[in-house]
């Protein structure tokens, strides 16, 4: 029987190629979308869930109940870990981390050549790292070596990169040119799906030697430091948190004791809890995961609706087949089995397309993200998910059409007296399905238009400084006289317009933030300024306007005092109404006393989501590590090569690190650009699926009204009159879909736009444009089929009357 089912299914596929291909393609898109979403969700929820003790591992985090509300921080003061070890024996193990961070690695290879590399993900930790977390040492000393200073474990990848086939154990390398490290072991390559990414693991004892004071008594320093704890099974977490707060409160400033609170965050929540950030890796908000799930279900549901529309539109053509089968003794259950088998064949073919298209989607998505590597391999969980999905789609997409077809009455079917309204699916239900599809399409179209407009608006905004054609070169050498000589050499080149030395560019991922208050005053909660270190050419180079006073000079008043230019946002936060009031005042900012000698215009130090922030510019020769070069034209390969060649004249064997400021700024909108790409993709897919659904509706209308159209043509109706029948129907449905989707698009886009301080205000034209696009798509979809129905010979539709 099953053999007969599948033979009939293939025969029906051959006789209805167009509809079958549309069904396969439509379902293939839906399945690919689901596999795409499944791959992303599987990866994002896999972070650190493979550790054997994952349910007992927690990160220590801080809550601060300030005047501006509750704030969260996953980074803690350096002495915290030691204090927990000393005062709370309830923890089985405490693991402390610094980083991961970037660093310059210098070594001599097996041929005696000096090699210099910039490495990411250098993690400092202690011996408990390998006991608490399931990272494996492949060769060399045990984890106890992490209790000794100047020891390092290399990942397999780095060991091969540095030493080839030779044994790296016992070899030495330099970290940041001044710290000699001994290779004591090789560890497995760090997986991508961990909140503690590493390429090399350095003993935390090394960092203790570099910064001895901050580990002992500096309860204010929280630079890239975190602590994990291992608890007993079924530990009372609230009781442990109470003990932690009691032990740590004595180290907090008196005014902060009632505001600070420490908590234990489960390991499983770190990657998806955007409140704390990660500090070590990117964080995927749970809301985005839920959005992915909803989009996948909507796309799959739309594909199933298309299948139902197209299948029931063809139902009338199979009436005689059903009548004959029932006359020959076919049971309703057998007919349902037959039609579900046909659906399964189509779903199986669609799954092949889905897997192929899914691989393409993942590959393109990975190319866009660069840092993340999603994998749609044919692993057991993917195969199992695919099979379950195929069975589910077969039932969802095939059950309703099979019920419609199997309940035809033999006499009516054989005499062509099937009531289409009752026999091929309720027309009201069909119109509801099409309205649902196009409402979703309009929602995606309008959202795409608004998001694209917002991103274009962001990219076209004046950031308050010039950043076009600016190349940035990082230097390890901090001899300011030599750097000034190099800057002069670069400015002598014909393709260089100007140069300046600084700590970072105006907008940078490495921001130096300090609390500040007026000398003699008190710190106000939330008063934190972005500290910029630069030379006297910094303002002119970036075209930042000086509003009052004078510019900084290349000198400091003393080691702890300096002159500074501050922005308008900073002086207004301290209650000074005019620039003149602020000139000559002194600020206490971190470890510096700054005398305000000038006021500059506000500029964006962070992406536009965060708006303008207080900022100060001062000269500190020890912090000038970056040279900015203004190019006279677009950066190209020849310019890049020339920049490196000039660098090599001064540092023949050092690491050349160059970046383009405009690229850095664009990278700050990675999440927004990713969302834009995803919405574009979803909009494109929904347009395809909705167009196919509309094709099914028009096909159904053509079959339903074939005799009516024939009669109208016999009595003189023109092709235009007939086309108006179809146009009136789909125009009504699309208009209704638009009015259903517009409020949802307004709410969703408003929710997203709230993330930006600078944002567009979508007006009716955005919605109208989306509606016109959907009308155009529908017109192109409907045009051919409705024209064919309008020009058919009426004799064909009336020959049985």
């Amino acid at each position: 029987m099953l053999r007969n089912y599948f033979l009939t299914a293939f025969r029906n596929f051959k006789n209805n190629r167009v509809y079958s291909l549309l069904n396969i393609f439509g379902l293939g898109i839906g399945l690919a979308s689901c596999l795409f979403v499944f791959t992303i969700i599987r990866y994002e929820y896999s972070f650190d869930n493979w550790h054997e003790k994952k349910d007992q591992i927690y990160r220590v985090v801080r809550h601060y109940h300030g005047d501006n509300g509750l704030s969260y921080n996953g980074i803690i003061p350096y002495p915290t870990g030691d204090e927990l070890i000393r005062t709370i024996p309830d923890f089985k193990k405490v693991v402390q981390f610094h980083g991961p961070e970037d660093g310059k690695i210098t070594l001599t290879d097996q041929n005696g050549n000096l090699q210099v590399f910039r490495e990411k993900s250098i993690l400092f930790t202690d011996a408990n790292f390998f006991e608490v977390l399931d990272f494996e040492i492949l060769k060399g000393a045990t984890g106890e070596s992490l209790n000794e200073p100047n020891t390092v474990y290399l990942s397999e990848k780095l060991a091969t990169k540095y030493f080839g086939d030779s044994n790296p154990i016992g070899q030495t390398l330099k970290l940041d040119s001044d710290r000699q490290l001994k290779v004591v072991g090789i560890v497995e390559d760090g997986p991508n799906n961990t909140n503690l990414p590493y390429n090399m693991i350095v003993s935390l004892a090394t960092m203790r030697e570099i910064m001895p004071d901050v580990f002992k008594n500096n309860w204010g320093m929280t630079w890239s430091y975190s602590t994990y704890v291992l608890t007993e099974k079924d530990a009372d977490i609230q009781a442990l948190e109470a003990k932690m707060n009691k032990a740590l409160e004595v180290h907090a400033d008196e005014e902060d004791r009632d505001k600070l609170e420490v908590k234990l965050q489960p390991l499983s929540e770190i990657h998806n809890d955007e409140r704390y950030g990660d500090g070590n890796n990117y964080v995927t908000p749970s809301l985005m995961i839920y959005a992915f799930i909803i989009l996948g279900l909507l796309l799959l549901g739309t594909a199933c609706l298309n299948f139902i529309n197209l299948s029931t539109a063809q139902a009338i053509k199979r009436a005689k087949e059903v009548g004959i089968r029932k006359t020959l003794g076919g049971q309703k259950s057998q007919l349902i089995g037959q039609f579900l088998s046909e659906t399964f064949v189509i779903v199986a073919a669609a799954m092949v397309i889905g897997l192929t298209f899914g691989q393409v989607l993942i590959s393109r998505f990975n190319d866009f993200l660069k840092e993340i590597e999603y994998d749609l391999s044919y692993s057991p969980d993917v195969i199992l998910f695919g099979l379950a999905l195929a069975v589910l789609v077969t039932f969802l997409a095939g059950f309703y059409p099979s019920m419609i077809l199997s309940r035809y009455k033999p006499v009516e079917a054989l005499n062509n007296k099937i009531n289409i309204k009752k026999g091929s699916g309720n027309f009201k239900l069909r119109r509801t399905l099409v309205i649902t599809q196009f409402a979703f399409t309009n929602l995606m179209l309008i959202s795409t238009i608004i998001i694209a407009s917002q991103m274009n608006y962001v990219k076209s905004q004046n950031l308050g400084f010039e950043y076009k054609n600016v190349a940035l070169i990082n230097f390890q050498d901090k001899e300011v006289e030599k750097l000034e000589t190099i800057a002069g050499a670069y400015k002598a080149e014909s393709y260089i317009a100007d140069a300046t030395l600084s700590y970072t560019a105006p907008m940078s991922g490495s921001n130096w933030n300090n609390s500040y208050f007026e000398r003699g005053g008190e710190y106000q909660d939330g008063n934190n300024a972005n500290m910029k270190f630069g030379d006297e050419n910094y303002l002119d180079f970036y075209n930042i306007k000086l509003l009052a006073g004078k510019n900084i000079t290349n000198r400091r008043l003393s080691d702890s005092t300096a002159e500074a230019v501050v922005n308008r946002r900073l002086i207004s936060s301290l209650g000074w109404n005019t620039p003149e009031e602020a000139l000559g005042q002194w600020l206490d900012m971190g470890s510096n006393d700054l005398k305000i000698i000038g006021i500059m215009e506000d500029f964006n130090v962070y992406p536009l989501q965060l708006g303008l922030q207080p900022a100060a510019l001062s000269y500190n020769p020890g912090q000038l590590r970056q040279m900015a070069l203004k190019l006279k034209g677009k950066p190209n390969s020849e310019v890049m090569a020339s920049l490196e060649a000039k660098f090599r004249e001064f540092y023949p064997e050092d690491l050349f690190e160059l970046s383009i400021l405009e690229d850095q700024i664009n990278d700050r909108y990675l999440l927004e650009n990713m969302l834009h790409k995803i919405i574009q993709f979803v909009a494109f897919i929904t347009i395809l699926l909705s167009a196919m659904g509309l094709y099914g509706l028009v096909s159904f209308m053509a079959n339903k009204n074939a005799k009516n159209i024939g009669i109208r043509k016999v009595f003189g109706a023109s092709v235009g009159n007939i086309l108006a029948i179809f146009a009136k129907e789909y125009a009504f449905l699309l208009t209704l879909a638009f009015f259903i989707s517009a409020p949802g698009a307004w709410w969703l886009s408003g929710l997203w736009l709230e993330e930006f301080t600078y944002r567009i205000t979508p007006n009716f034209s955005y919605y109208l444009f989306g509606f016109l696009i959907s009308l155009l798509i529908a017109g192109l979809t409907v045009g051919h089929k409705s024209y064919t129905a309008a020009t058919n010979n009426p004799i064909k539709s009336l020959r049985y009357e």
Side-chain angles (χ1 to χ4, degrees):
M1 181 178 293
L2 284 176
R3 180 174 177 274
N4 181 59
Y5 283 170
F6 286 110
L7 284 175
T8 305
F10 284 114
R11 189 181 302 122
N12 183 59
F13 175 86
K14 183 178 179 181
N15 293 335
N16 299 278
R17 290 187 181 90
V18 174
Y19 282 93
S20 297
L21 287 173
L22 284 175
N23 275 327
I24 290 172
F25 183 66
L27 284 176
I29 291 173
L31 292 170
S33 302
C34 272
L35 289 167
F36 174 67
V37 170
F38 171 76
T39 302
I40 292 175
I41 294 172
R42 177 186 62 167
Y43 178 79
E44 297 297 342
Y45 277 139
S46 71
F47 273 65
D48 288 319
N49 70 357
W50 35 270
H51 294 290
E52 182 181 351
K53 304 167 187 173
K54 60 183 179 182
D55 295 330
Q56 299 170 248
I57 302 173
Y58 295 81
R59 179 173 68 166
V60 181
V61 296
R62 294 193 302 167
H63 291 185
Y64 185 79
H65 302 266
D67 299 334
N68 298 321
L70 181 61
S71 59
Y72 306 88
N73 201 334
I75 305 301
I76 59 176
Y78 280 84
T80 305
D82 291 343
E83 187 69 9
L84 294 179
I85 293 171
R86 188 179 67 84
T87 58
I88 306 180
D90 304 70
F91 295 132
K92 295 179 68 176
K93 297 286 182 182
V94 176
V95 192
Q96 303 177 68
F97 305 97
H98 171 83
E101 60 182 31
D102 295 355
K104 188 180 78 168
I105 303 299
T106 307
L107 58 95
T108 302
D109 66 16
Q110 53 191 340
N111 297 320
N113 299 318
L114 186 67
Q115 300 288 325
V116 184
F117 304 94
R118 169 64 62 180
E119 296 296 351
K120 295 181 178 180
S121 301
I122 300 174
L123 181 65
F124 296 81
T125 187
D126 56 40
N128 288 336
F129 177 76
F130 293 109
E131 296 187 33
V132 174
L133 301 164
D134 295 339
F135 297 110
E136 184 180 357
I137 298 174
L138 302 177
K139 184 190 298 184
T142 64
E144 293 298 321
S145 295
L146 289 176
N147 289 329
E148 304 170 10
N150 306 319
T151 58
V152 60
Y153 290 85
L154 298 180
S155 65
E156 283 186 284
K157 179 174 62 178
L158 281 193
T160 302
K161 175 181 175 180
Y162 292 165
F163 302 104
D165 296 331
S166 61
N167 183 13
I169 307 298
Q171 300 285 347
T172 60
L173 49 84
K174 281 186 178 181
L175 174 63
D176 293 333
S177 302
D178 58 1
R179 179 62 56 166
Q180 192 90 10
L181 301 178
K182 179 182 178 182
V183 179
V184 295
I186 307 300
V187 295
E188 63 178 335
D189 290 336
N192 290 329
N193 58 337
T194 178
N195 298 296
L196 291 167
Y198 63 81
N199 282 321
M200 62 171 60
I201 299 172
V202 182
S203 64
L204 191 66
T206 306
M207 186 56 65
R208 291 179 184 274
E209 280 196 355
I210 297 172
M211 305 188 305
D213 292 337
V214 301
F215 279 91
K216 292 179 181 178
N217 53 20
N218 193 330
W219 288 89
M221 190 169 182
T222 58
W223 171 45
S224 195
Y225 176 80
S226 57
T227 295
Y228 286 18
V229 297
L230 178 68
T231 68
E232 299 285 352
K233 289 184 178 180
D234 302 320
D236 187 338
I237 301 303
Q238 290 184 340
L240 288 174
E241 289 174 343
K243 290 183 179 181
M244 289 167 56
N245 281 290
K246 185 176 181 180
L248 298 176
E249 68 178 359
V250 296
H251 301 289
D253 292 337
E254 189 172 347
E255 63 271 18
D256 286 338
R257 287 180 184 175
D258 295 333
K259 298 179 179 179
L260 274 173
E261 182 182 18
V262 289
K263 292 280 189 179
L264 293 177
Q265 181 190 26
L267 182 68
S268 60
E269 296 180 6
I270 293 175
H271 185 64
N272 300 113
D273 193 341
E274 64 272 24
R275 293 179 303 169
Y276 305 98
D278 188 344
N280 303 318
N281 211 336
Y282 74 98
V283 174
T284 303
S286 299
L287 187 62
M288 182 174 286
I289 298 294
Y290 299 146
F292 270 125
I293 294 173
I294 292 171
L295 285 176
L297 292 175
L298 285 173
L299 288 172
L300 182 64
T302 303
C304 290
L305 293 180
N306 274 337
F307 182 91
I308 293 171
N309 267 338
L310 291 169
S311 297
T312 53
Q314 286 291 95
I316 190 64
K317 293 184 177 181
R318 303 190 65 180
K320 280 191 177 181
E321 177 191 341
V322 174
I324 293 171
R325 285 178 177 272
K326 282 197 169 184
T327 301
L328 296 176
Q331 301 297 313
K332 184 176 180 179
S333 59
Q334 292 174 318
L335 289 169
I336 291 174
Q338 169 64 51
F339 298 128
L340 285 176
S341 299
E342 293 178 10
T343 302
F344 182 77
V345 170
I346 291 174
V347 171
M351 182 58 75
V352 175
I353 293 176
L355 286 169
T356 304
F357 189 39
Q359 289 280 12
V360 173
L361 285 178
I362 290 294
S363 176
R364 293 294 300 273
F365 204 57
N366 286 339
D367 290 342
F368 173 70
L369 293 177
K370 298 178 185 177
E371 297 293 333
I372 308 170
E373 192 68 29
Y374 294 121
D375 178 30
L376 181 58
S377 58
Y378 300 116
S379 56
D381 55 345
V382 172
I383 294 173
L384 184 62
F385 177 77
L387 289 174
L389 193 61
V391 173
L392 177 65
V393 171
T394 298
F395 180 79
L396 291 177
F399 183 74
Y400 180 72
S402 66
M403 291 297 294
I404 295 295
L405 288 164
S406 64
R407 69 186 185 203
Y408 284 161
K409 295 180 181 179
V411 175
E412 292 179 352
L414 293 172
N415 286 282
N416 294 297
K417 292 183 178 180
I418 293 294
N419 184 328
I420 294 182
K421 186 172 181 179
K422 295 181 179 179
S424 295
N426 188 285
F427 193 46
K428 289 182 180 179
L429 174 61
R430 184 182 307 282
R431 290 198 293 187
T432 301
L433 297 180
V434 171
I435 290 171
T436 303
Q437 285 180 299
F438 265 88
F440 184 46
T441 301
N442 276 315
L443 181 69
M444 290 295 103
L445 277 172
I446 295 168
S447 298
T448 300
I449 293 168
I450 291 175
I451 289 174
S453 299
Q454 173 63 25
M455 294 311 299
N456 289 332
Y457 178 77
V458 165
K459 292 175 182 178
S460 64
Q461 278 294 295
N462 180 7
L463 299 178
F465 63 93
E466 289 186 4
Y467 59 90
K468 300 286 187 179
N469 301 333
V470 173
L472 304 173
I473 302 176
N474 292 330
F475 290 85
Q476 294 294 320
D477 193 341
K478 295 181 180 179
E479 294 181 20
V480 68
E481 292 81 6
K482 185 175 182 179
L483 294 179
E484 288 173 347
T485 301
I486 298 171
Y490 270 121
K491 285 195 287 187
E493 297 292 329
S494 60
Y495 56 88
I496 301 293
D498 201 1
T500 186
L501 295 172
S502 64
Y503 180 72
T504 62
M507 183 186 289
S508 169
S510 301
N511 289 311
W512 189 309
N513 292 306
N514 281 333
S515 60
Y516 66 92
F517 51 90
E518 183 182 359
R519 178 183 280 183
E522 293 184 357
Y523 170 71
Q524 298 296 315
D525 185 27
N527 274 4
N528 294 292
N530 191 270
M531 189 71 212
K532 297 293 180 187
F533 296 108
D535 62 18
E536 58 191 16
N537 194 39
Y538 192 88
L539 294 181
D540 289 339
F541 181 92
Y542 288 110
N543 198 24
I544 299 172
K545 187 177 180 181
L546 186 66
L547 301 176
K550 59 183 181 179
N551 191 13
I552 60 172
T553 59
N554 291 351
R555 69 182 183 89
R556 284 180 69 85
L557 301 178
S558 69
D559 290 341
S560 59
T561 59
E563 295 176 331
V565 174
V566 300
N567 67 348
R568 291 197 298 179
R569 186 57 59 103
L570 188 147
I571 64 172
S572 63
S573 70
L574 292 176
W576 293 315
N577 298 317
T578 64
E580 288 71 23
E581 287 184 61
L583 292 175
Q585 302 287 351
W586 284 83
L587 294 179
D588 188 324
M589 183 176 290
S591 58
N592 293 290
D593 287 334
L594 300 180
K595 181 182 180 181
I596 300 175
I597 63 169
I599 310 300
M600 60 183 170
E601 184 61 88
D602 292 331
F603 58 89
N604 290 95
V605 297
Y606 296 111
L608 292 181
Q609 297 97 315
L610 301 177
L612 296 171
Q613 303 291 328
L617 171 67
S618 181
Y619 179 77
N620 186 339
Q623 298 297 335
L624 302 183
R625 64 174 194 176
Q626 187 179 82
M627 185 180 298
L629 301 171
K630 188 172 293 183
L631 308 179
K632 292 182 179 178
K634 293 283 185 181
N636 55 46
S637 56
E638 291 182 5
V639 170
M640 300 298 182
S642 181
L643 290 172
E644 182 172 4
K646 180 61 66 176
F647 177 88
R648 293 292 173 212
E649 292 179 14
F650 295 90
Y651 302 101
E653 295 182 333
D654 211 341
L655 184 65
F656 178 69
E657 297 178 273
L658 181 141
S659 58
I660 303 301
L661 179 57
E662 187 173 4
D663 293 340
Q664 284 189 2
I665 291 173
N666 289 335
D667 287 344
R668 305 299 295 277
Y669 303 101
L670 177 63
L671 191 62
E672 288 74 21
N673 286 325
M674 180 176 73
L675 179 62
H676 185 197
K677 292 289 184 183
I678 291 171
I679 294 296
Q680 280 183 321
F681 162 72
V682 172
F684 175 72
I685 296 301
T686 52
I687 287 169
L688 277 181
L689 294 176
S690 298
M692 292 166 64
L694 192 61
Y695 186 85
L697 175 66
V698 177
S699 301
F700 177 78
M701 288 175 62
N703 290 334
K704 175 180 180 294
N705 295 309
K707 293 181 176 62
N708 183 30
I709 292 171
I711 293 171
R712 286 174 180 268
K713 292 192 69 176
V714 168
F715 281 94
S718 66
V719 172
N721 296 139
I722 305 302
L723 289 176
I725 298 174
F726 294 96
K728 180 181 177 182
E729 177 66 30
Y730 82 76
F732 168 74
L733 296 180
L734 294 185
T735 303
L736 186 57
F738 169 75
F739 282 107
I740 292 173
S741 63
W746 174 82
W747 179 74
L748 286 174
S749 61
L751 200 64
W752 182 70
L753 288 171
E754 285 181 0
E755 298 295 320
F756 293 85
T757 302
Y758 305 94
R759 54 180 178 264
I760 61 172
T761 303
N763 53 40
F764 183 71
S765 63
Y766 290 85
Y767 299 87
L768 180 61
F769 187 47
F771 177 57
L772 292 176
I773 292 175
S774 66
L775 276 181
L776 176 63
I777 294 164
L780 294 173
T781 305
V782 169
H784 172 71
K785 187 66 180 179
S786 56
Y787 182 79
T788 302
T791 55
N792 274 343
N793 190 337
I795 295 175
K796 292 182 179 180
S797 58
L798 299 174
R799 61 186 173 182
Y800 293 110
E801 296 296 329

